[in-house]
Amino acid sequence: AQTVTQSQPEMSVQEAETVTLSCTYDTSESDYYLFWYKQPPSRQMILVIRQEAYKQQNATENRFSVNFQKAAKSFSLKISDSQLGDAAMYFCAYRGTNSGYALNFGKGTSLLVTP
Amino acid sequence: KAGVTQTPRYLIKTRGQQVTLSCSPISGHRSVSWYQQTPGQGLQFLFEYFSETQRNKGNFPGRFSGRQFSNSRSEMNVSTLELGDSALYLCASSLAEGVSGNTIYFGEGSWLTVV
């Protein structure tokens, strides 16, 4: 089974600064998708960014970008120009054939943004 | 375009009772999946339905069941409730099943407390 590990239970960043959240995963598949979801206090899971494993180019969505290292099975999220509204739980998730296309989530990283 | 709608949002049940949660997917989405979120176990996949058929099931006891209707709306049922079933139950929808890259959109969840 695929496992997703987020080694940072909590992170803190100052407004306007940059922060990187780490994620590693274990898989024997070559074709899969990786996602970062944000869960604010409302508890609704919001998709932040996604990465196709077959694409070497790192995905970018405005202030959010990823560093995808397929050989190292690493998928980190960089948030630039952090804003107060970025404060939330961030979950890394894996989706592939062997899991029946179910999302496998990491335990999450709680991000605190300070003024 | 309306998002994924879950009802009820909050409910309290007594041990031994049963509960039914409802989910209306995004219009046009035919795949509905359910996840359980608890502080201890994190986010865990329950099951996925497509075209009224269960396509995938997570590692949960038979007390957890679900179904999907012809309009893609889904319900999940938990019988003989236990204290450990207290959780946030998240419903998610996507366009089709079996495609890793399809974005999965989540509802705001149903908070279940078992006393």
Side-chain angles (χ1 to χ4, degrees):
Chain A
Q2 291 75 27
T3 57
V4 179
T5 303
Q6 293 180 249
S7 58
Q8 308 151 315
E10 293 180 348
M11 290 285 284
S12 180
V13 64
Q14 278 194 313
E15 232 181 329
E17 296 297 307
T18 296
V19 65
T20 298
L21 309 183
S22 301
C23 173
T24 58
Y25 57 95
D26 183 28
T27 185
S28 58
E29 296 180 286
S30 59
D31 187 21
Y32 50 87
Y33 285 76
L34 296 164
F35 304 85
W36 277 98
Y37 278 89
K38 168 185 177 181
Q39 189 177 44
S42 68
R43 305 309 290 269
Q44 182 170 16
M45 299 286 281
I46 301 166
L47 178 67
V48 175
I49 201 165
R50 64 178 233 173
Q51 174 78 42
E52 296 88 339
Y54 62 84
K55 287 189 178 178
Q56 290 188 328
Q57 186 173 7
N58 290 323
T60 300
E61 287 287 342
N62 300 315
R63 298 182 295 107
F64 299 88
S65 61
V66 298
N67 183 5
F68 173 50
Q69 302 290 325
K70 190 172 184 179
K73 297 179 184 176
S74 171
F75 182 60
S76 60
L77 174 69
K78 185 171 82 170
I79 306 174
S80 305
D81 186 25
S82 296
Q83 301 174 359
L84 294 176
D86 295 333
M89 280 291 289
Y90 286 81
F91 292 94
C92 177
Y94 172 103
R95 193 181 192 205
T97 306
N98 287 353
S99 62
Y101 305 105
L103 282 168
N104 286 316
F105 286 93
K107 293 292 187 184
T109 297
S110 178
L111 179 65
L112 174 67
V113 182
T114 57
Chain B
K1 193 172 185 180
V4 179
T5 305
Q6 292 186 244
T7 57
R9 292 293 317 282
Y10 304 91
L11 65 166
I12 300 173
K13 291 287 188 177
T14 304
R15 267 185 306 176
Q17 287 186 317
Q18 66 94 26
V19 66
T20 299
L21 307 178
S22 179
C23 173
S24 294
I26 291 172
S27 178
H29 285 193
R30 298 174 62 191
S31 174
V32 174
S33 51
W34 291 87
Y35 292 80
Q36 181 197 63
Q37 186 175 21
T38 60
Q41 298 300 316
L43 283 149
Q44 293 185 288
F45 170 75
L46 279 157
F47 26 65
E48 179 183 7
Y49 287 87
F50 181 81
S51 293
E52 302 177 65
T53 302
Q54 187 180 89
R55 298 296 189 174
N56 192 12
K57 189 177 191 302
N59 188 25
F60 278 83
R63 299 185 298 107
F64 291 81
S65 63
R67 59 178 176 169
Q68 187 181 34
F69 302 95
S70 58
N71 62 358
S72 295
R73 191 177 69 84
S74 176
E75 289 182 347
M76 69 161 283
N77 184 79
V78 187
S79 62
T80 320
L81 284 166
E82 300 176 359
L83 295 178
D85 297 333
S86 296
L88 176 67
Y89 290 88
L90 291 164
C91 174
S93 76
S94 64
L95 275 173
E97 58 127 11
V99 181
S100 301
N102 276 346
T103 296
I104 298 177
Y105 297 90
F106 285 82
E108 291 184 298
S110 291
W111 278 101
L112 170 65
T113 301
V114 182
V115 297

